[in-house]
Every structure is written in structure tokens, then in C-alpha cells.
Amino acid sequence: MSRDSSATRARILDCTWNLLESGDKKVRMADVAKAVGVSRQALYLHFPTRAELLIATTRHIDSVKNVDARLAESRAATSGRERLEAFISAWGGYIPEIHGVSVALRSMYDNDAEAEEAWNDRMQAVRHGCVAAVAALASDKMLRPDLNVEVATDLLWTLLSVENWERLVRDCGWSQAEYERHIKRLSEAALLAKD
């Protein structure tokens, strides 16, 4: 890919990100092309489908916000409990930064298959992190004996949902620090075997 092509692609992703965060209920390919200053045909050369554009945008956001560095502590943890706590901190601390985009994608979700696909792609990435944390607990023999990895993953993934963060931080007025502290405690109570 040429330098000009790479620069155009980056502009497309940044403009799509800005449009999503602006609260538009429907970000169309024509809206993106207009914001970038390219034709729709040029936009389709970079992203043949709107789903590909939305997924690429969410991954671009992760790249710009260096999600891998945020997850480094969790990935390097030497115990299941450490991995769980570090993953909750990483994801829980990331939610406020991607909240605007999550609202936009979820508002389009019911009537927009591409937005649904983009949101599900990111939520599967979160689920992957939950699987890794739960598997580390199981490997350390710390997982509650009445839970298997799949059920424990379901529980953790649900506890860490953006919707739960919204209820607790936005609706109930919790601080971010309170949210992370209580979610860690609740996750440990739900998943860890009694000593």
C-alpha cells in the first residue's frame, strides 16, 4: 500500500471514529466519504463494505489507544487472581474511553447488521480476555468447583459489560475507582473457590 493510500486509510478511520463519537444515529458510507473529502468509490476501494469499515474503525481505536499495552500486565500475570484483577483494571478503565463509540454502535445495533457485526467483534475480543482470565484461575485450581470455564466466562463477561458500567457509573454516580474496586470484589466472590 502506498504512503498516500495509507494516509487516506488513516484519515477514513479517524473520520469514522469522529462521526461515531458525535452521536450520529447512522453513520453511512456517504457521510464518511464527505467527512474525509473523497468519493464514495474511493472509500469503497479501501473498505468494500460498511461492516469492514466499522470493524476496522474499532480496531483502529484499540491501536491508537494502545490496548495491547493496557493488557500487558494481565497477559504477564503469574497467577490467575493477578490476571483477573489486571484484566478488570484494563477493560474497566478502557470503557470510559470508548463509551461514545459503544453508544453509537449499540444505538444502530437493532436495525443495522454492520453496526451489530462491529460491536460483536469487539465484545468477542473482551470475551477472549475473560476466557484467558478464567482459564488462569482454573489452571491455578482457584475456580469455584461448581463452575466450569464456560459458565465462569459467561459470568465475568456479563459483569464487565458496558451496560453494567453505565448503570453503576453514569446512573448510580459511582466513581471509576469505586466501579473497578467493586467489580473486582464481585468477580472474585462469583468465581473464586473458598480458601
Side-chain angles (χ1 to χ4, degrees):
M1 190 178 281
S2 73
R3 179 180 297 152
D4 287 345
S5 183
S6 293
T8 301
R9 181 180 170 88
R11 272 195 358 259
I12 291 167
L13 294 171
D14 286 336
C15 285
T16 305
W17 180 0
N18 289 334
L19 287 170
L20 287 169
E21 284 193 332
S22 73
D24 286 346
K25 296 296 182 206
K26 179 89 168 169
V27 175
R28 299 169 304 157
M29 294 295 267
D31 300 325
V32 175
K34 182 178 179 184
V36 176
V38 298
S39 69
R40 283 192 310 178
Q41 292 79 11
L43 179 59
Y44 281 107
L45 288 174
H46 290 275
F47 299 98
T49 69
R50 189 165 161 273
E52 289 178 61
L53 172 61
L54 292 172
I55 290 169
T57 300
T58 60
R59 291 180 179 180
H60 174 69
I61 294 166
D62 286 350
S63 176
V64 169
K65 292 186 173 284
N66 204 353
V67 79
D68 285 332
R70 294 166 186 262
L71 292 170
E73 184 179 343
S74 174
R75 293 172 176 160
T78 58
S79 75
R81 178 177 255 148
E82 286 175 13
R83 184 156 196 162
L84 176 67
E85 288 183 9
F87 181 72
I88 291 170
S89 291
W91 171 244
Y94 194 44
I95 293 172
E97 295 184 42
I98 53 96
H99 186 252
V101 171
S102 87
V103 168
L105 290 173
R106 287 181 293 136
S107 73
M108 294 185 263
Y109 192 97
D110 289 336
N111 302 313
D112 187 332
E114 288 100 349
E116 179 180 8
E117 188 176 341
W119 182 246
N120 287 340
D121 177 74
R122 295 298 73 212
M123 291 306 93
Q124 287 307 310
V126 174
R127 186 174 178 85
H128 179 76
C130 292
V131 169
V134 169
L137 291 173
S139 178
D140 287 352
K141 309 280 189 258
M142 295 183 72
L143 192 60
R144 274 183 25 199
D146 60 323
L147 296 176
N148 62 37
V149 169
E150 186 175 345
V151 170
T153 297
D154 292 345
L155 290 170
L156 182 59
W157 191 48
T158 301
L159 285 171
L160 296 178
S161 72
V162 172
E163 294 83 356
N164 284 341
W165 177 88
E166 287 172 336
R167 295 300 155 269
L168 296 170
V169 174
R170 297 266 169 139
D171 297 346
C172 297
W174 288 15
S175 70
Q176 184 64 29
E178 288 173 311
Y179 164 79
E180 289 181 32
R181 185 175 65 251
H182 289 302
I183 289 295
K184 284 177 186 177
R185 250 194 273 162
L186 183 57
S187 298
E188 289 180 359
L191 303 177
L192 297 183
K194 302 277 190 249
D195 292 332

